Amino acid sequence: MLAAAAAVAVAGLSGCADDPQPQLEIQALDEDTARSTLTESGVVIPPGFRFVAGVNNPTGFPGSPSNYVRYDGPAAVFAEPQPMSDANPAFGAFRDTDCSSPLVVQVHALTKLGLSCTPTTRMQVSQAADEPNDQAVPPGGKALVLVAGSGVSQLYVIVQGT
């Protein structure tokens, strides 16, 4: 009897595996939705930055989606990111990194927002203070990525879903 029940359970589970999962596509975020999402996540965008684009990556499971947003601001912020750190005290200090960082490589959505990595790309990252340095952003984690652009500082905000 127990073996029969186990066989039915396995058959039911394997039947579920045959059902194809719908492919969830990255969706665009408008400025108001991006602002609301970041506010709920405790991320503050200092004055002087303008919204460029945002995307949302649904999980397909219960939980929150991942959100990625880009802002452009004054070029001087890259050289002196302290005001950004002051606005976001839950994050650690900005530190230099490059395009090979697991934090950046992991997030393909950043290229959809305009991140272009070359051997000369200058980049800094700040993660929530309790997260390991320069590793992939864990579920529920956050990171700020500053990139020196032509006359601007590009700010990429990563809010990983759960």
Side-chain angles (χ1 to χ4, degrees):
M1 179 105 168
L2 187 54
V8 169
V10 169
L13 288 175
S14 66
C16 290
D18 292 338
D19 292 338
Q21 289 289 332
Q23 294 298 318
L24 301 175
E25 294 185 22
I26 290 178
Q27 303 166 355
L29 290 177
D30 62 32
E31 184 174 4
D32 291 335
T33 304
R35 183 181 311 112
S36 174
T37 298
L38 296 183
T39 299
E40 289 172 14
S41 299
V43 176
V44 176
I45 306 302
F49 279 82
R50 70 174 177 77
F51 175 81
V52 175
V55 293
N56 166 300
N57 191 4
T59 62
F61 301 100
S64 62
S66 295
N67 293 284
Y68 313 100
V69 185
R70 176 182 167 189
Y71 291 86
D72 283 354
V77 173
F78 185 85
E80 181 48 51
Q82 191 60 45
M84 182 70 65
S85 295
D86 291 346
N88 293 283
F91 288 80
F94 278 89
R95 63 195 179 286
D96 292 335
T97 191
D98 60 35
C99 292
S100 67
S101 164
L103 186 139
V104 178
V105 171
Q106 166 210 16
V107 184
H108 301 289
L110 297 184
T111 58
K112 291 187 178 292
L113 298 177
L115 178 62
S116 176
C117 284
T118 68
T120 61
T121 299
R122 295 181 313 141
M123 183 179 298
Q124 298 177 54
V125 64
S126 174
Q127 288 180 260
D130 60 344
E131 294 172 10
N133 284 344
D134 214 25
Q135 293 184 12
V137 181
K142 298 175 273 194
L144 303 173
V145 179
L146 274 174
V147 178
S150 296
V152 300
S153 291
Q154 299 171 354
L155 171 64
Y156 296 88
V157 181
I158 300 169
V159 179
Q160 283 296 56
T162 56

